[in-house]
Amino acid sequence: MKSHEIKAVIEGLLFVSGEEGIDEKQIMEVLQLDRKTVKFYMSELMEAYSADSRGLQIVEIAGGYQFTTKAEHALYFKRLIQSPSTTTLSQAALESLAIVAYKQPISRIDIEDIRGVKSERPIRTLLAKSLIKEVGRVEGTGRAILYGTTKEFLEQFGLRTIKELPPLPSNIEDEDVEEEVDLFFAKFQEQLAVVNEDK
């Protein structure tokens, strides 16, 4: 494989790994390269993405790599979050929020297993609105981020504690969660409408 192809694959790996990131060992295994070679290509990519013309950067955290936005652009991301078109939650975000609320602490991968679709974007939305937060990491390989609800989540939807969520059947299976949280969605959508009318 040529140099530019290797770097293109690494970019793709960084993209699909999302906020979880990808560690050096995973890149080595996928591309069948040694550590020194991976470090060489990562160094080149990180330098390329550090240019002012790039909106993303590659950061190294705890032996892994991930795409992040640049701190100097934070003002524009804040404007996006605060714009009128983003005051309500999409159905995807509501579904993800419901799953986090009932199954916390839970990883993005587990949320996606339950929903059956990619959930990185709704999770980013929920994080930006402070409805969920990182509460830890899964033990073992990958150390996936675990999510839970926040104090703002309780305040936003008029709950004193997480125990006030509509109860689910005690014998519910993971694959049935989305169906069973219809009541949860209805409660939240009604509350969202009230909240948005007040803004």
Side-chain angles (χ1 to χ4, degrees):
M1 189 182 294
K2 295 180 180 178
S3 176
H4 70 276
E5 292 175 307
I6 291 173
K7 287 192 281 189
V9 171
I10 292 175
E11 283 181 299
L13 293 174
L14 287 165
F15 179 80
V16 299
S17 64
E19 64 192 25
E20 303 291 342
I22 184 168
D23 62 40
E24 210 168 67
K25 186 176 179 182
Q26 289 175 303
I27 299 173
M28 289 166 59
E29 290 173 352
V30 171
L31 287 169
Q32 298 183 337
L33 298 172
D34 59 52
R35 190 177 302 275
K36 183 178 179 180
T37 304
V38 168
K39 282 186 176 294
F40 169 78
Y41 285 115
M42 289 309 308
S43 177
E44 285 204 341
L45 278 170
M46 290 172 78
E47 184 178 349
Y49 273 92
S50 68
D52 291 341
S53 60
R54 298 284 191 137
L56 297 175
Q57 62 184 346
I58 300 172
V59 296
E60 184 176 2
I61 300 175
Y65 302 90
Q66 65 183 130
F67 274 133
T68 69
T69 54
K70 294 184 175 181
E72 57 264 36
H73 300 154
L75 170 65
Y76 305 102
F77 307 139
K78 186 175 181 181
R79 286 179 186 170
L80 173 64
I81 293 166
Q82 293 176 341
S83 69
S85 63
T86 59
T87 55
T88 59
L89 293 177
S90 66
Q91 185 67 20
L94 273 174
E95 290 176 5
S96 299
L97 179 59
I99 292 167
V100 171
Y102 280 106
K103 305 291 287 183
Q104 61 185 304
I106 186 169
S107 69
R108 177 175 59 84
I109 293 172
D110 289 334
I111 294 170
E112 291 174 348
D113 284 344
I114 293 169
R115 293 190 64 232
V117 294
K118 298 289 283 184
S119 300
E120 188 172 341
R121 185 170 181 179
I123 288 173
R124 282 202 305 267
T125 297
L126 297 174
L127 286 168
K129 292 179 180 293
S130 298
L131 294 173
I132 65 172
K133 64 181 179 180
E134 296 180 14
V135 296
R137 287 186 177 265
V138 175
E139 294 296 328
T141 307
R143 303 269 298 156
I145 295 169
L146 292 171
Y147 298 101
T149 52
T150 62
K151 180 182 177 183
E152 288 82 359
F153 163 86
L154 297 175
E155 292 173 351
Q156 180 90 0
F157 301 110
L159 301 171
R160 285 175 295 180
T161 72
I162 204 71
K163 294 178 180 178
E164 292 187 351
L165 290 172
L168 293 175
S170 58
N171 62 345
I172 189 169
E173 299 294 334
D174 280 355
E175 58 267 23
D176 298 325
V177 169
E178 187 175 343
E179 180 179 346
E180 294 293 341
V181 295
D182 283 345
L183 180 59
F184 179 89
F185 292 153
K187 176 182 175 66
F188 271 41
Q189 286 172 323
E190 180 181 341
Q191 187 63 31
L192 275 171
V194 172
V195 171
N196 288 327
E197 284 176 4
D198 293 340
K199 289 184 178 179

